[in-house]
DNA sequence: TTTGCTCAGTACCGTACGGTACGGTTCTCT
DNA sequence: AGAGAACCGTACCGTACGGTACTGAGCAAA
């Protein structure tokens, strides 16, 4: 278990181990947590259960490794270019909103969130914390930063950059995330992410656009 | 199983059976789905497993019965009074927003949503549908109605009452619901539901207030 | 009292899972 | 070549759960 814990912290994973985690994630996406048995993972990944326990300690360690593995694969969209015009700022917001909708409604994101929520129902919020920090946390930070930049340049007038980000988040997602987690399918107009993102951003700008020139 | 199915549809439940369902719900809230074994329910409710299966068919039937039972207990706040003034309309919105925050963050709501999400991860969205229709559906209908009334009287200018309701929903909850489902605890300012509801409603009014008199 | 019904309590069965142990194979290092 | 580690495949163990069967108590009707 010591070796396994170190593996998780230092994130020094063999290519083989990464491949196993990817296979496990695929299994999770396809069949939910119920399908994610250690035997099934070993079978699908072509490794032995003994190796799984050697590498990841126990089943919970494996689940945590899956989450961190996926989080490490998330690339920040690298739109860190300087924002120079209000049009560009709005365009960045649109880009962000559309990205958010696409990520949140993706099968992988839904499966991981369902997994973490299942763990939370057992009183263990470790996975949920990890998901919030490494998943939404990063994009949130980046967004908060963009928001602060927009405020500094006078495009928007917001008292608190992070609060503004949260409001945009709400305008974009509404109750879509939870509905998807519950297994619902989006209505036609909701599935048009580009249009939905545009609506949300224009509402956001209407709220916070700097009218004092 | 026939008798059980009829029971669920016609909702003709003995007081004894209702008590059993309430006990089961309490068990679910306390320990999550893992703790909701048939043996544990029978023990806690002081009935036999055989009776459980006789009444509810199987475990899934029992879970569904718990959800419908809880939904039947939800009372509509009965604010069906006519809205006569804009101030009253805004006050109704505030009341709604605060109620929403309180319900959504309640232990019972969280436990039921987690349960349904767990089922959805197994490919069964029956509980989720039930939760959406009977839980959020009702309050949504009522809210949409209030919104339409406000529009008719010229307090707000919204193209679609239901869409407006969704926007208010997003402004009120932001990402709070999912974070709670993941096991997070609210920040201090988020836990002040009255204040948070006021902010959301004022933002909503800023978006849709009828400026054409 | 006798008959029959309901239900609590318990014992039981089959299955499936998490976790471990072991034999055999491949690869690496010396 | 030979030793040792890593690892696959499989068998195995203990446990816990869903679901069923049985027993006996309480009770109502005849």
């Amino acid at each position: 278990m010591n070796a396994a814990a170190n593996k998780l912290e230092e994130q020094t994973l063999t290519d083989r181990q990464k491949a196993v985690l990817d296979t496990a994630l695929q299994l999770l996406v396809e069949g939910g947590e119920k399908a994610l048995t250690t035997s099934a993972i070993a079978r699908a990944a072509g490794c032995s259960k003994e190796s799984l326990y050697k590498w990841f300690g126990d089943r919970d360690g494996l689940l945590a490794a899956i989450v961190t593995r996926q989080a490490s694969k998330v690339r920040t969209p690298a739109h860190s270019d300087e924002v120079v015009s209000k049009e560009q700022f709005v365009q960045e917001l649109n880009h962000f909103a559309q990205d958010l909708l696409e990520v949140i409604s993706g099968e992988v994101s839904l499966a991981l969130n369902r997994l973490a929520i299942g763990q939370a129902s057992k009183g263990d919020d470790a996975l949920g914390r990890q998901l919030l920090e490494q998943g939404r946390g990063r994009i949130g930070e980046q967004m908060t930063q963009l928001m602060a930049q927009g405020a500094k340049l006078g495009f928007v007038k917001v008292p608190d950059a992070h609060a503004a980000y949260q409001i945009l988040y709400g305008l974009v997602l509404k109750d879509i995330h939870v509905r998807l987690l519950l297994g619902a399918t989006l209505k036609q107009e909701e599935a048009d992410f580009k249009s939905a993102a545009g609506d949300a951003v224009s509402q956001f700008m209407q709220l916070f656009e700097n009218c004092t020139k």
Side-chain angles (χ1 to χ4, degrees), chain A:
Chain A
M1 183 131 42
N2 259 336
N6 288 337
K7 279 282 171 52
L8 292 183
E9 289 174 7
E10 302 175 6
Q11 194 71 1
T12 54
L13 293 176
T14 315
D15 286 347
R16 177 100 182 87
Q17 296 168 353
K18 290 179 186 172
V20 168
L21 291 180
D22 289 341
T23 305
L25 176 61
Q26 186 181 346
L27 228 57
L28 175 68
V29 170
E30 287 169 1
E33 185 183 357
K34 189 196 69 175
L36 202 64
T37 67
T38 53
S39 306
I41 296 172
R43 199 181 323 124
C47 71
S48 70
K49 286 171 64 175
E50 196 172 10
S51 298
L52 291 183
Y53 285 99
K54 189 177 197 174
W55 294 335
F56 307 109
D58 59 2
R59 187 171 181 269
D60 285 343
L62 190 102
L63 300 186
I66 293 175
V67 173
T68 52
R69 161 80 178 140
Q70 183 60 19
S72 77
K73 283 199 291 188
V74 171
R75 276 269 145 268
T76 58
H79 61 56
S80 59
D81 307 333
E82 284 293 316
V83 179
V84 291
S85 70
K86 191 176 199 174
E87 287 71 25
Q88 191 188 350
F89 177 69
V90 172
Q91 190 179 340
E92 286 291 337
L93 290 185
N94 264 286
H95 190 204
F96 159 78
Q98 197 173 336
D99 264 12
L100 186 63
L101 279 166
E102 280 163 6
V103 169
I104 285 296
S105 64
E107 291 290 341
V108 172
S109 163
L110 290 178
L112 288 177
N113 275 280
R114 289 195 184 113
L115 176 66
I117 289 174
Q119 293 288 316
S121 86
K122 296 173 189 165
D124 174 19
D125 62 346
L127 282 189
R129 292 239 297 271
Q130 205 171 345
L131 216 57
L132 284 175
E133 286 172 13
Q134 304 193 359
R136 199 139 51 232
R138 290 193 186 177
I139 200 171
E141 260 180 45
Q142 203 168 355
M143 196 53 213
T144 304
Q145 197 176 343
L146 175 62
M147 204 69 83
Q149 206 172 351
K152 199 178 70 176
L153 295 179
F155 303 149
V156 288
K157 186 180 180 182
V158 293
D160 176 9
H162 187 258
Y165 151 67
Q166 298 248 61
I167 290 169
L168 177 58
Y169 189 100
L171 284 172
V172 171
L173 285 186
K174 301 180 180 91
D175 65 345
I176 286 181
H177 198 180
V178 175
R179 275 168 49 213
L180 286 173
L181 288 173
L182 285 169
T185 55
L186 295 184
K187 284 178 287 186
Q188 197 170 357
E189 67 268 22
E190 289 175 322
D192 182 357
F193 291 159
K194 191 175 177 63
S195 166
D199 290 347
V201 169
S202 69
Q203 284 157 3
F204 178 82
M205 289 307 290
Q206 188 178 339
L207 277 178
F208 295 108
E209 198 162 28
N210 198 349
C211 297
T212 69
K213 184 58 176 312

